[in-house]
């Protein structure tokens, strides 16, 4: 992914850390959000008017059309991608949820959604546990070796700090700006991969290396930032921008670092990709796609057309 996962009451932790009244964290350090309130989901429903498109549905394998269902492994993380605005006993909401539901309606199938941790979804596709996966999965050269993608937005990597931070004041354009700092990010993400691959840049620049702390829950990462255990978060552009817009989070978004296409994920050679691509393009053409992105404030991530397995952005 490009994104980490937020579970249970920790899903409320994008609006946490109100002085003396709220403390958000993930399961990793044993505490839950106290006094925080989830941001309510927008009430408009652009998916409601979506109808089956026979030409797109015809691209599905015959056995799928007959069964009428697809199993999706969903990483329910944080807004605007996917989260639980009403708690885990209620339905999830978010851009990824709406887009997957809209695609399913175009194809005339129902989704069997299974909540799964981000880092487990891609390996499970190969075993056949899920027919496809969602979780803001970024398209990278490494992932393309084993995974097929059908793109639906253009998101990517960014950084955020606690408001008032004096060490990082502007946009991060080079990882050497992070030398000597502690960076928090998610397990199994493109962020972790990028930071690990470039871990020698500080030594080459004659600077103290940066330290990376990996968290399995996004809420734990945010709590670590607020408590001063990390200096900066590396996560999704859309997620960090959304988070910074919530006053209670007390974070500042430092801008885009590297753009990535984001797509529905499938096992390599999946017979579903052409149907999904056709469905996304139908949604783009009829305006539903634009309405979904407007609903979640992710208009800047819009694409003109869905692609299957595009090369990674350089």
């Amino acid at each position: 992914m490009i994104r980490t996962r937020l579970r249970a009451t920790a899903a409320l932790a994008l609006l946490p850390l109100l002085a003396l009244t709220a403390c958000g964290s993930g399961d990793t350090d044993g505490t839950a959000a106290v006094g925080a309130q989830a941001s309510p989901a927008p009430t408009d429903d652009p998916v409601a008017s979506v109808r089956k498109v026979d030409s797109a549905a015809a691209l599905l394998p015959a056995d799928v059309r007959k069964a009428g269902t697809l199993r999706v492994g969903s990483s329910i993380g944080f807004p605007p991608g996917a989260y639980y605005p009403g708690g885990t006993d209620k339905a999830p909401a978010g851009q990824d949820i709406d887009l997957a539901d809209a695609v399913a309606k175009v194809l005339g199938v129902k989704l069997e959604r299974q909540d799964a941790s981000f880092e487990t979804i891609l390996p499970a596709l190969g075993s056949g546990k899920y027919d496809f996966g969602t979780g803001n999965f970024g398209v990278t050269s490494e992932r393309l070796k084993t995974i097929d993608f059908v793109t639906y937005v253009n998101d990517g990597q960014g950084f955020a700090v606690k408001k008032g931070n004096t060490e990082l004041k502007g946009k991060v354009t080079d990882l050497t700006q992070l030398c000597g700092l502690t960076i928090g990010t998610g397990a199994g993400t493109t962020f972790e991969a990028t930071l690990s691959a470039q871990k020698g840049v500080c030594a080459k620049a004659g600077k103290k290396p940066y330290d990376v702390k990996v968290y399995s829950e996004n809420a734990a990462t945010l709590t670590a930032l607020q408590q001063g255990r990390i200096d900066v978060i590396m996560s999704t552009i859309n997620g960090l921008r959304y988070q910074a817009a919530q006053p209670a989070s007390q974070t500042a978004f430092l801008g885009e670092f590297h753009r990535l296409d984001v797509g529905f994920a499938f096992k390599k050679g999946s017979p579903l990709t052409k149907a999904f691509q056709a469905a996304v393009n139908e949604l783009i053409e009829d305006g539903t796609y634009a309405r979904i992105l407007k609903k979640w404030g992710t208009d800047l991530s819009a694409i003109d057309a869905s692609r299957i397995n595009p090369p990674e952005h350089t």
Side-chain angles (χ1 to χ4, degrees), residues 47 74-76 80-83 91-102 111 113 134 292 296:
V47 181
S74 293
S75 175
I76 310 299
Y83 71 122
Q95 168 196 270
D96 289 1
I97 303 298
D98 280 353
L99 286 172
D101 287 348
L111 297 183
R113 182 173 280 113
T134 62
I292 291 173
W296 294 105

Side-chain angles (χ1 to χ4, degrees), residues 65-77:
R65 295 199 304 272
K66 182 178 180 179
T69 59
L70 288 171
R71 297 160 299 161
V72 52
S74 293
S75 175
I76 310 299

